Amino acid sequence: VIDTLALHDALPICLTAVSPGTYTASFYGVPGALNIRGTLAENYFRGFKRIENRGTYATPIGAADKIQIVRGPPTPIYGSGKVGGMLNFIPKSGKGEGGYLSKVEGEVAATYGSYNRKNATAQVGLPVNLGDVVGGVHVYGEVEDSHSFYRGVYPRRQTLQVSSDLDLGEGWTTAVGGMLYR
């Protein structure tokens, strides 16, 4: 069973509200890994396995275009996996529902809240048109420096993500992306 979420304007989201049998474990206020059927879910980035999140850091989903939640063991194409399920992160890129980006798109947001929460995000999508090669590139950055309800817990993190989708012509396409998370 696969639940696919389209995250065009819904950030942040509550994964557990749309996928039955899942919950997000919270360890001392850190919204950690997704649990499916009582087991930590494995995390994938465009189908490639990520480092296992045991709940010690927030799962970075701010730059997601889609999140696929698979309940039950993954298919053999993903290799051996946990019986509970998996979360596959599909990043925002230069490709939208109607095709590739036709113009520059961007957004900047800042949040300040209770417990000295400070969060800033910025993202830009750029179209690419180099002769026969068309596509787009998306860059996302996020910085958080907050306090917490729990004493001694100060969530600080930085995320930088770059992803692109390109149509090379004659039926060839490529998708490249990466994320730095500190």
Side-chain angles (χ1 to χ4, degrees), residues 25-35 40 52-59:
S26 178
F27 299 96
Y28 299 102
V30 177
L34 181 69
N35 282 279
L40 282 176
E52 184 176 12
N53 181 1
R54 302 294 269 157
T56 55
Y57 63 91
T59 302

Side-chain angles (χ1 to χ4, degrees), residues 25-174:
S26 178
F27 299 96
Y28 299 102
V30 177
L34 181 69
N35 282 279
I36 303 175
R37 297 178 176 173
T39 305
L40 282 176
E42 291 189 308
N43 290 306
Y44 289 80
F45 184 88
R46 285 194 188 211
F48 290 93
K49 192 181 267 191
R50 299 171 93 171
I51 296 173
E52 184 176 12
N53 181 1
R54 302 294 269 157
T56 55
Y57 63 91
T59 302
I61 60 170
D65 185 38
K66 295 180 192 168
I67 291 180
Q68 298 172 329
I69 298 173
V70 177
R71 295 185 308 264
T75 62
I77 195 167
Y78 290 110
S80 62
K82 293 187 178 180
V83 192
M86 63 179 260
L87 178 143
N88 189 22
F89 178 90
I90 310 295
K92 289 182 181 179
S93 66
K95 191 173 188 176
E97 290 181 20
Y100 295 104
L101 293 175
S102 59
K103 61 183 172 53
V104 176
E105 298 177 353
E107 177 181 300
V108 176
T111 304
Y112 184 80
S114 299
Y115 300 104
N116 203 19
R117 177 182 164 91
K118 295 178 290 231
N119 185 291
T121 62
Q123 56 186 316
V124 64
L126 305 166
V128 173
N129 193 349
L130 304 168
D132 290 342
V133 177
V134 295
V137 176
H138 192 272
V139 180
Y140 174 86
E142 181 176 8
V143 176
E144 180 174 1
D145 184 6
S146 302
H147 289 252
S148 173
F149 174 79
Y150 299 96
R151 292 183 187 181
V153 177
Y154 303 103
R156 292 185 184 114
R157 60 187 168 95
Q158 298 88 34
T159 306
L160 176 64
Q161 177 181 300
V162 179
S163 58
S164 68
D165 280 299
L166 300 172
D167 184 351
L168 305 175
E170 297 184 22
W172 289 88
T173 62
T174 185

